[in-house]
Amino acid sequence: MLPRAGERVVRISVLISVGVFLANLAVSFGAVERIAGVSRFLTGPANLPDEVGTAILTTAASTTAGYGMLADFRESGRLSDRATLVAVTINTFFGFTQHIFTFYAPVIVPILGRETGLLYVGTRGAIALGITLTGVVAGAVLLTDRDVDETVTVETDATETAADGGSEGGPRAAVAEAWSSTAGKLRSIVPRLAAVYLLVSVLAAAEAFRSLSAAAGPLAEVAGLPAAAVPVIVVFAFDTTAGAATVAPLIGGTLTVDQAVVTMLLGGIVTFAVSTFKRSIPFQYGIWGASFGSKVIVVNTVLKVVFISGAVVWFLI
């Protein structure tokens, strides 16, 4: 059992190494920014100015820069609070686009395998797109000329942390930059992946998950999942990569592909409780201040929980 687990860890580590390097190389050459250009076609129907399309485009390369641009628009009076919340909602899919290149494709898909990985990433993409389209509809319905002050001109400096369409040093510098980013990410991912995957393989072989059925049975029954899904949800709450590594050995045996995706989606809901305190509050308060930052957190969290819950129901019916 241990040799098989070790072999799989090595194989996944190699796939992650190649995937992360290619992802970072694409970012260095500005591929993410070019793909995000479609964002401008969403601002018109949402009654938002063209500049917001630039901020949304920037979000696909740097969340901090994109949010910083929107904060400049709001603070200058260019956008009202309501218009800013609509823009933040539309940002969702383009923030997800960044993670496709830097996390989901190079890390999550190799861990879960092609079928489960693509289904999970596709589902998360559909959820993000649904939230973005909700923002477009909200803008079309709720925003008026009073929410956008056309007389205000804003010069933002938030884009300095965003990708500028490619590395300034040419192809050689782009490759070096991609390798540097890859090495740093691998040092944090691979050891954790190996430890979690080997531990889960041992526990699964020893049928340790069955001992959870007495305590976790009611929760698993409500979700329509076997008890083995519960520890995966708990791990997901603290670390997405470790959660994927935990669920991977269970796919095809304890969990079907659909059940694995549902388990990870439920883990994503639980994750909000942890990530809100660890990341969202410091980030959003730093960008917007406590008052408006709280509104952004509430809107983001409610929409994600609603859409993820809808996806879970879709898989279970």
Side-chain angles (χ1 to χ4, degrees):
M1 174 202 62
L2 288 178
R4 288 198 303 271
E7 179 182 349
R8 187 164 185 178
V9 169
V10 171
R11 180 176 62 84
I12 292 175
S13 298
V14 171
L15 289 173
I16 290 177
S17 300
V18 174
V20 169
F21 176 73
L22 292 177
N24 286 322
L25 193 62
V27 172
S28 295
F29 279 111
V32 174
E33 186 181 32
R34 294 185 181 95
I35 289 176
V38 71
S39 66
R40 293 190 179 93
F41 295 100
L42 302 176
T43 56
N47 294 322
L48 292 170
D50 291 342
E51 299 95 305
V52 174
T54 303
I56 293 173
L57 180 152
T58 303
T59 301
S62 168
T63 303
T64 302
Y67 271 58
M69 291 178 69
L70 291 177
D72 287 339
F73 294 150
R74 173 178 172 267
E75 291 171 4
S76 68
R78 182 79 163 110
L79 298 179
S80 68
D81 284 2
R82 184 162 54 182
T84 304
L85 286 173
V86 168
V88 167
T89 303
I90 295 176
N91 263 352
T92 303
F93 180 74
F94 299 93
F96 175 81
T97 300
Q98 179 190 43
H99 294 304
I100 291 177
F101 287 91
T102 60
F103 179 63
Y104 285 113
V107 178
I108 294 299
V109 173
I111 291 176
L112 296 175
R114 184 173 60 182
E115 181 181 5
T116 306
L118 291 179
L119 181 59
Y120 175 67
V121 175
T123 301
R124 291 305 300 256
I127 290 169
L129 181 59
I131 295 174
T132 288
L133 294 178
T134 298
V136 174
V137 173
V141 173
L142 299 176
L143 299 186
T144 66
D145 291 341
R146 291 178 295 179
D147 293 295
V148 179
D149 189 343
E150 298 288 352
T151 65
V152 176
T153 302
V154 184
E155 296 292 336
T156 67
D157 58 3
T159 54
E160 64 184 5
T161 58
D164 60 3
S167 177
E168 295 181 358
R172 182 173 297 179
V175 172
E177 181 181 341
W179 174 248
S180 176
S181 299
T182 299
K185 182 166 287 190
L186 291 179
R187 281 194 294 269
S188 64
I189 289 178
V190 173
R192 182 177 60 200
L193 171 66
V196 172
Y197 197 90
L198 290 173
L199 176 61
V200 172
S201 297
V202 171
L203 293 176
E207 299 184 346
F209 292 125
R210 291 188 177 182
S211 64
L212 296 171
S213 59
L219 177 60
E221 185 177 352
V222 170
L225 298 171
V230 176
V232 177
I233 295 173
V234 173
V235 173
F236 243 89
F238 297 95
D239 189 282
T240 302
T241 305
T246 303
V247 77
L250 308 178
I251 299 172
T254 306
L255 300 174
T256 66
V257 171
D258 284 359
Q259 287 176 330
V261 172
V262 169
T263 298
M264 290 183 287
L265 291 175
L266 291 175
I269 292 177
V270 176
T271 299
F272 295 142
V274 177
S275 64
T276 295
F277 290 98
K278 290 177 60 178
R279 291 184 292 273
S280 294
I281 288 179
F283 175 74
Q284 301 293 0
Y285 281 21
I287 294 289
W288 311 102
S291 179
F292 190 74
S294 297
K295 295 179 183 179
V296 172
I297 291 172
V298 170
V299 170
N300 281 341
T301 301
V302 169
L303 285 173
K304 287 179 181 178
V305 169
V306 168
F307 274 85
I308 291 177
S309 299
V312 169
V313 172
W314 171 266
F315 277 103
L316 293 180
I317 59 176

